[in-house]
Amino acid sequence: MNGNPFDLDDAATYQRWRERKLADAPAKAEDLIVEVSDPRALSAAEHGALIERIRRCNMAIYAGRMLDEDPDVPRRLGAQFGLQRLDANWLAGEDGISEIRVFDDGTRKLYIPYTDRPIKWHTDGYYNAPEWQIRGMVLHCVRDAASGGDNRLLDHEMAYLLLREEDPGHVRALTQPDAMLIPERVDEQDGVRPAQGGPVFSLDPDGHLHMRYTARTRSIAWKQDAATQAAVAALGRVLAGDAGPVLHAHLAPGMGLLCNNVLHDRAAFRDDPARPRLLYRARYLDRIA
Ligand SMILES: [Fe+2]
């Protein structure tokens, strides 16, 4: 590729990329769905259909019929897309794949993902050190909730596009290495860790766009300059827009999200005690190949 669309000084490459991106954007979450017979061993056609969607918008949803409680399903699915290096979260199971369900006791019930409460817009691992960024993710549904628990999704490249359209200064502000600061020790999700600052938008060594973000207002400090404040407000408006590029997805049993760590949230939910919601989450340092 000549030029990089994420270079603010390369307007020509950006314009070509922008037109393609807008033309290819999915209109609804259903456009992301690919029926598969066995996510552990995809056919070439199923694999190709998933990759085609990921190329367009960094995400795809597979719909299979594997309803077993088996973390090997997301692991083997991910491996077919070059996702190998799992992020070993200390709260995750020993194999590095987290069970996302309501925990009534133990440490995990203190952390929002392990409750039935809503989770605000974010990318996974936004609090991680720069050399330990989450680039790929699989979220596999074994059982859904009696009601609620849906996800909103937004391709982080589309968020970039919308911000750059409004004002390239937003992108410049959010690329600053000190745009966001996660203070020491105050994140409910990960407990004790040192203060961690970093950019919202950055480029991987291979030129791909990476994004770190959380809509949380506690345990995060945004840079206090006017440009950063304006950019964060603009991003908030993009994410609040329920029309347009924000997709609404419901993962039913056997379905899963495969993505390059796009922006997402989760609605509150209510469990059926007889079959409580269970998802497996696998986070990777790798991007989908
Ligand atoms: Fe997440």
Side-chain angles (χ1 to χ4, degrees):
M1 182 168 63
N2 295 319
N4 187 319
F6 307 117
D7 178 353
L8 282 173
D9 297 324
D10 189 348
T13 304
Y14 170 72
Q15 285 302 333
R16 281 195 301 276
W17 172 84
R18 172 188 175 277
E19 279 169 35
R20 181 70 166 278
K21 191 83 195 171
L22 291 170
D24 284 352
K28 51 191 189 309
E30 288 69 27
D31 297 342
L32 300 175
I33 298 175
V34 176
E35 304 265 352
V36 305
S37 47
D38 183 350
R40 298 169 305 178
L42 298 169
S43 71
E46 292 165 350
H47 188 275
L50 288 164
I51 279 289
E52 187 265 334
R53 285 159 177 78
I54 290 160
R55 281 214 184 90
R56 282 162 53 193
C57 60
N58 285 302
M59 57 184 138
I61 293 173
Y62 59 89
R65 290 181 195 81
M66 297 281 309
L67 305 182
D68 316 12
E69 287 192 25
D70 180 6
D72 247 15
V73 177
R75 187 202 322 278
R76 289 177 61 182
L77 183 279
Q80 295 166 80
F81 295 88
L83 299 178
Q84 301 281 358
R85 293 178 297 159
L86 276 164
D87 173 33
N89 179 334
W90 64 279
L91 288 171
E94 278 177 39
D95 54 15
I97 294 184
S98 303
E99 276 186 23
I100 307 294
R101 62 180 173 88
V102 174
F103 283 81
D104 292 324
D105 48 24
T107 314
R108 276 180 278 209
K109 73 169 186 182
L110 303 173
Y111 301 97
I112 293 172
Y114 306 105
T115 69
D116 53 12
R117 291 155 58 195
I119 307 177
K120 291 182 178 181
W121 281 104
H122 65 282
T123 59
D124 274 30
Y126 60 85
Y127 37 75
N128 283 13
E131 65 280 8
W132 200 258
Q133 292 295 303
I134 303 302
R135 297 197 171 79
M137 181 180 51
V138 178
L139 197 58
H140 175 80
C141 179
V142 179
R143 292 185 299 270
D144 55 358
S147 66
D150 291 359
N151 298 104
R152 288 188 296 174
L153 305 166
L154 179 63
D155 178 3
H156 59 295
E157 292 182 358
M158 183 60 77
Y160 173 99
L161 184 155
L162 294 169
L163 290 174
R164 186 161 167 176
E165 290 302 291
E166 181 173 307
D167 182 353
H170 292 334
V171 170
R172 201 171 289 115
L174 296 179
T175 306
Q176 297 175 103
D178 56 350
M180 74 191 298
L181 179 71
I182 315 291
E184 187 182 27
R185 278 180 173 241
V186 283
D187 191 274
E188 287 174 39
Q189 198 165 325
D190 278 58
V192 181
R193 35 168 195 69
Q196 188 62 61
V200 172
F201 291 123
S202 58
L203 293 186
D204 290 340
D206 58 7
H208 288 111
L209 184 73
H210 179 63
M211 183 172 191
R212 300 160 69 235
Y213 177 71
T214 176
R216 299 184 66 175
T217 48
R218 284 184 302 162
S219 56
I220 165 142
W222 292 102
K223 188 171 183 179
Q224 287 299 308
D225 65 331
T228 304
Q229 297 292 316
V232 171
L235 180 52
R237 289 193 297 275
V238 165
L239 295 172
D242 274 351
V246 171
L247 306 176
H248 294 245
H250 175 82
L251 296 181
M255 295 171 72
L257 172 70
L258 167 68
C259 71
N260 282 324
N261 199 4
V262 297
L263 289 154
H264 57 285
D265 76 353
R266 180 188 78 189
F269 63 88
R270 191 174 52 77
D271 261 341
D272 172 356
R275 49 173 301 282
R277 186 180 193 266
L278 171 63
L279 281 80
Y280 290 121
R281 182 191 63 202
R283 304 203 274 211
Y284 299 90
L285 306 180
D286 306 305
R287 194 183 148 86
I288 294 166

